[in-house]
Amino acid sequence: MEGRTPMKDDDVIGVEVLQDLDPDSPVSRYRQIADQLAAAVLDRRPGARLPSEYEILNRLGVSRATATQALRDLEQRGLVTRRQGKGTFVADPDRAIRSNRPGVLPSFSEDLRAAGRTTRERVIALEIASAPADVAAALGIGKGDDVWSLERIIVSDDQPVVHLTSWLSCATVPALSRSAVEATSLYEQLSQIEGSRPCSADEQWSAAVAPPTTATVLDVGRNAPVMRVVRTAYLHDERPVEYAIAYVRGETFAVSIHIDAHQHRSRLLASLTKAAG
Amino acid sequence: MEGRTPMKDDDVIGVEVLQDLDPDSPVSRYRQIADQLAAAVLDRRPGARLPSEYEILNRLGVSRATATQALRDLEQRGLVTRRQGKGTFVADPDRAIRSNRPGVLPSFSEDLRAAGRTTRERVIALEIASAPADVAAALGIGKGDDVWSLERIIVSDDQPVVHLTSWLSCATVPALSRSAVEATSLYEQLSQIEGSRPCSADEQWSAAVAPPTTATVLDVGRNAPVMRVVRTAYLHDERPVEYAIAYVRGETFAVSIHIDAHQHRSRLLASLTKAAG
DNA sequence: GAGTGGTCTAGACCACAGC
DNA sequence: CTGTGGTCTAGACCACTCT
């Protein structure tokens, strides 16, 4: 329809951004719509308006339920907010969910790049070791079994920010090379080994003092506060594939959480961001 | 089958738990179904099976979309996981979302109680002060404007765990009494003042060393690591109502995050839990 | 093959916001 | 009033899992 209230072009994402759907795509229709809109959202300022459900269904010839599902998908990713009677609008980027790439787990490097920082990874050591008790328990293998032990530093904007050690069962991940990890990333390498792509992860973030070696590597004082992150990553069938302990410079980064009780539902997003103060 | 929890035949939530819906209720049908199932889920062990969509629609006479929406609602709260071809199952409680109570923001006390600990709140000071710059900026008021300053300690299992200071604009919250806050909770009090119920919040968790007064109050050493939490709580119309800075004993509690890339979607839950190690 | 959830259609009525 | 999202119906086809 023509004749909308005069508004800056900047504040509206028109239906024109939507290309016809690919009927042969394995990707569902609502997902194709959502992905197109997600790309458009990135350029826009918070508060910009998205096409309404009816505009989408008229443009693409889908049912309303499909248009609704596309917009709800974006809402769940934290990219937009929806208001009854008003419309769908670009959300505050601080409140976006960590990874928007489907099926891919966010890594520390990704978090940092999402925060607008450069990243570089350096492998300190990659070797086969025998699993300590805590590692064996987390990976569901026997104590003393062979595991890859991978120690890395993530350097961001020329400052060492994360010191992390990962353990992976040699039974699950037969081969791993230092050059490949340095060239791409650990998760990238795992994705290329059939069936060893991590699909979910549990992380625990707590405050701690930097252990001596970490303090040296991160170039902080002996009793410096750090975020201690314990991560277990799982395969599609819930078998653990990676157990990692990371230390993040405490004064530099924080976990941001947004809690939303609108609409009688608690929603919760998180991202690694610059710490306040 | 491998799965982290073995399953018995009797780990089934039958359709019998579902009572007929109240057609006069202002609560939507899918929400009534979800709430009934949520109550049933609490008693069950992870892995227990929920009624299928078809069992629900046959039992209650709703359409399949409504049954689907109920189960998807539970999935978004982190209470269940759904698997194509298999069914819907009770999720690991560690992966549940922080607050399951609709429309209510989780507080530190709630987090601790959810972790199975007792809590007690003690008000150290409640007074009207003039807003410092950072508080004024967060609350969207002028520097020096009148604000409530509320300093509290949360004691859990006879140990001081959280030291927090909240600031609230006197313009938004005209009255506040020490006894009322001690008897219930700050958020409970705010809920009873028309229009001052917090609906959403941003939190930032970072690692820090305990400031001197906090170290004394929490009974930790001078350079002890703590979680520094900065929270801004918002009303329904997005106006800020509370700005708070809290310090949580670092070695005791952690933020747990679960990232799920199943089904081409990143999902993210968080809860305050006991720290590992 | 039977049962499950994933997706989709083509309608419908409602509550809410803004004019 | 119109336009928005919230909810709902009564179907449908599909992909996946298990037997």
Side-chain angles (χ1 to χ4, degrees), chain A residues 30-31 72-73 76 83 95 97-99 101-106 199-209 225-228 234 236 238-239 250 253-262 264-266 268 270 273-276, chain B residues 2 4 30-31 72-73 76 83 95 97-99 102-106 199-209 225-228 234 236 238 250 253-262 264-266 268 270 273-276:
Chain A
Y30 84 86
R31 206 68 170 74
R72 188 163 44 206
D73 187 273
Q76 283 175 20
R83 308 260 178 94
R95 296 179 175 184
I97 207 162
R98 271 221 272 178
S99 171
R101 287 204 283 146
V104 177
L105 284 183
C199 282
S200 68
D202 286 315
E203 293 180 358
Q204 242 193 7
W205 295 64
S206 57
V209 292
V226 292
M227 278 285 199
R228 181 170 185 271
Y234 302 92
H236 190 75
E238 305 250 305
R239 278 187 303 132
F253 286 90
V255 190
S256 285
I257 295 179
H258 177 63
I259 307 157
D260 201 333
H262 276 294
H264 303 290
R265 167 169 307 134
S266 288
L268 206 147
T273 59
K274 283 187 193 178
Chain B
E2 52 245 318
R4 265 167 275 169
Y30 84 87
R31 206 68 169 75
R72 189 163 43 205
D73 187 274
Q76 283 175 20
R83 309 260 177 95
R95 297 181 173 182
I97 207 164
R98 271 222 270 179
S99 171
V104 176
L105 283 184
C199 282
S200 68
D202 286 315
E203 293 181 357
Q204 244 194 4
W205 295 63
S206 58
V209 292
V226 291
M227 278 285 199
R228 181 171 186 270
Y234 302 90
H236 192 74
E238 305 252 305
F253 286 91
V255 188
S256 284
I257 295 179
H258 177 62
I259 308 156
D260 201 333
H262 275 294
H264 303 288
R265 166 170 309 134
S266 288
L268 207 147
T273 58
K274 283 187 192 176

Side-chain angles (χ1 to χ4, degrees), chain B residues 7-28:
Chain B
M7 174 168 159
K8 284 184 201 165
D9 283 347
D10 62 337
D11 277 349
V12 171
I13 298 176
V15 278
E16 315 85 55
V17 303
L18 291 173
Q19 305 297 317
D20 289 346
L21 303 181
D22 176 1
D24 301 325
S25 170
V27 178
S28 56

Side-chain angles (χ1 to χ4, degrees), chain A residues 18 21 68 97 107 109 173 177 184 213 215 218-219 251:
Chain A
L18 291 172
L21 303 180
T68 302
I97 207 162
S107 64
S109 293
V173 182
S177 94
T184 60
T213 55
L218 292 185
D219 193 25
E251 79 285 10

Side-chain angles (χ1 to χ4, degrees), chain B residues 30 47-48 58 73 98 101 107 124 140-141 145 188 202 221 269:
Chain B
Y30 84 87
N58 285 327
D73 187 274
R98 271 222 270 179
R101 286 203 284 144
S107 65
I124 297 179
I141 59 177
D145 286 2
E188 197 65 42
D202 286 315
L269 309 172

Side-chain angles (χ1 to χ4, degrees), chain A residues 87-140:
Chain A
T88 301
F89 305 90
V90 176
D92 185 336
D94 287 351
R95 296 179 175 184
I97 207 162
R98 271 221 272 178
S99 171
N100 289 306
R101 287 204 283 146
V104 177
L105 284 183
S107 64
F108 289 109
S109 293
E110 264 195 283
D111 285 342
L112 291 163
R113 285 196 297 271
R117 306 187 37 139
T118 67
T119 66
R120 209 174 58 210
E121 277 193 31
R122 193 158 69 76
V123 172
I124 297 179
L126 172 62
E127 57 192 21
I128 293 180
S130 49
D134 60 333
V135 172
L139 293 179

